[in-house]
Amino acid sequence: QVQLVESGGGLVQAGGSLRLSCAASGRTSSSITMGWFRQAPGKEREFVAAISWGGGGTFYGESVKGRFTISRDNAKNTVRLQMDSLKREDTALYFCAAKRAPGTTQTRVTMYPYWGQGTQVTVSS
C-alpha cells in the first residue's frame, strides 16, 4: 500500500503562483509513478502532470503545459507541483496519485490505484 497526503492548496489571485506537495509513505519504490489530477465542480477528474519516481521523466496535460512544473524529492518521498500564471479555470480540488507501473504518459484516472484526499486550489480574478 501507498499512502499519500497533499498540502499547499489555498486561495490565490489570477496570475499568481502556488505550490502543492504530496508526501508518500508505505511501499514506495523506484518503480512508482506519481501524478497530479484535478477535479472542478461538475466536471470529470482531469490529468495534470506525472513524474517517474526514479528517472525524473515528466508529462503534462495540455491545459497546464508551460505553466506547471512537477518535481520530486526522493530523499523526502515528496512530489511537488509548482503552479505559475494561475487562471480562474485552474480552480479545482487537486489530487495526488500513484501507480506502480512505469510510464508517465498514461493519463487515465483508472491507471492510478492510490490517491490522496485532495487539496483545494481556488483562483480568484
Side-chain angles (χ1 to χ4, degrees):
Q1 291 292 326
V2 177
Q3 293 78 44
L4 304 171
V5 178
E6 306 96 335
S7 61
L11 174 65
V12 64
Q13 286 191 331
S17 298
L18 209 57
R19 189 174 74 171
L20 305 182
S21 293
C22 174
S25 61
R27 294 181 57 196
T28 58
S29 70
S30 61
S31 65
I32 282 189
T33 300
M34 301 292 295
W36 285 97
F37 289 76
R38 67 186 182 185
Q39 188 166 18
K43 294 188 177 182
E44 293 186 352
R45 196 166 294 190
E46 174 191 22
F47 172 81
V48 174
I51 187 166
S52 60
W53 194 257
T58 59
F59 187 71
Y60 295 92
E62 285 299 319
S63 61
V64 306
K65 197 175 294 184
R67 299 187 298 121
F68 290 12
T69 303
I70 189 171
S71 62
R72 86 268 189 262
D73 184 337
N74 289 344
K76 297 182 179 180
N77 276 0
T78 298
V79 173
R80 297 183 177 92
L81 184 69
Q82 177 67 39
M83 305 185 294
D84 299 317
S85 302
L86 282 162
K87 306 174 182 180
R88 286 191 64 185
E89 50 264 43
D90 294 319
T91 295
L93 188 61
Y94 282 71
F95 296 90
C96 179
K99 63 182 179 76
R100 296 201 179 279
T104 57
T105 60
Q106 296 167 329
T107 62
R108 287 184 297 171
V109 170
T110 54
M111 296 301 297
Y112 286 79
Y114 306 108
W115 292 85
Q117 293 300 307
T119 185
Q120 179 67 36
V121 171
T122 303
V123 183
S124 64
S125 59

